[in-house]
Amino acid sequence: MERERTLVLLKPDAVQRRLVGEIIRRIEQKNLDIVALKMIRIDQKLAETHYEEHREKPFFRELIDFITAGPVVALVVEGPDAVSVVRRMMGATNPFQAEPGTIRGDFGLDLTANLIHGSDSVESAKIEIRRFFQPEEILA
Ligand SMILES: Nc1nc2c(ncn2[C@@H]2O[C@H](COP(=O)(O)OP(=O)(O)O)[C@@H](O)[C@H]2O)c(=O)[nH]1
Ligand SMILES: [Mg+2]
């Protein structure tokens, strides 16, 4: 398996609901490496860039309002096949369809506030990591 890096965001609902520790525990328990971590506020501009692909969707405004409403925890997670491993740990976007045992399946019940973001490909991971982290913030 290729070693990959992926961008993970613990969304404002995860912070508000005190699920940061639980979600990071799962990432660590899986034996993935955390190579960068910080708490930030996502501003309007960063939110709109990050969710650019959804600009024409009916839920876009709600999504931007939600992701900018409170602090998030941003991580760079590294490991074999990290992009898809993290996506599987997250579970389906719709928490009603997310399997038990996944983060969204175990803790989520809302389509917008679904706790966690993970990059959906190696290519978008590279772009998203650059968008959220300076090179010197990431462990070599
Ligand atoms: N209200 C609402 N929010 C959605 C819907 N689809 C996606 N979202 C939100 O937009 C984010 C980005 O969507 P997407 O990239 O498709 O899902 P993800 O990659 O699994 O996070 C999701 O994580 C949700 O927070 C929807 O149909 N309704
Ligand atoms: Mg996505």
Side-chain angles (χ1 to χ4, degrees):
M1 279 299 154
E2 287 291 310
R3 260 190 107 67
E4 296 172 355
R5 287 180 169 183
T6 187
L7 179 83
V8 172
L9 299 175
L10 310 184
K11 296 183 181 183
D13 56 327
V15 175
Q16 220 155 35
R17 293 178 55 197
R18 276 70 173 152
L19 288 169
V20 168
E22 168 65 26
I23 297 170
I24 289 178
R25 187 190 63 73
R26 289 178 178 219
I27 291 168
E28 289 191 320
Q29 181 176 267
K30 184 68 180 170
N31 210 19
L32 290 160
D33 292 330
I34 295 168
V35 295
L37 185 158
K38 62 183 173 183
M39 182 176 263
I40 56 167
R41 260 318 262 271
I42 298 182
D43 65 20
Q44 201 72 17
K45 184 163 163 279
L46 179 58
E48 290 189 9
T49 308
H50 180 64
Y51 283 125
E52 183 59 44
E53 62 174 312
H54 299 301
R55 187 173 287 278
E56 304 308 324
K57 307 271 173 66
F59 57 83
F60 183 69
R61 217 58 257 171
E62 187 183 341
L63 178 58
I64 297 305
D65 288 347
F66 161 67
I67 203 76
T68 57
V72 308
V73 175
L75 307 92
V76 179
V77 172
E78 182 181 297
D81 224 11
V83 170
S84 68
V85 166
V86 168
R87 291 288 298 190
R88 288 211 307 283
M89 290 172 69
M90 287 164 50
T93 307
N94 182 337
F96 302 101
Q97 282 156 15
E99 295 292 336
T102 66
I103 291 159
R104 287 163 170 172
D106 287 349
F107 302 112
L109 215 52
D110 189 282
L111 213 47
T112 303
N114 62 0
L115 299 160
I116 183 168
H117 168 84
S119 308
D120 62 10
S121 69
V122 174
E123 294 70 44
S124 42
K126 285 197 175 115
I127 295 166
E128 291 179 354
I129 289 167
R130 242 182 285 127
R131 185 178 292 145
F132 280 88
F133 286 92
Q134 302 295 320
E136 63 269 22
E137 293 179 297
I138 306 173
L139 293 181

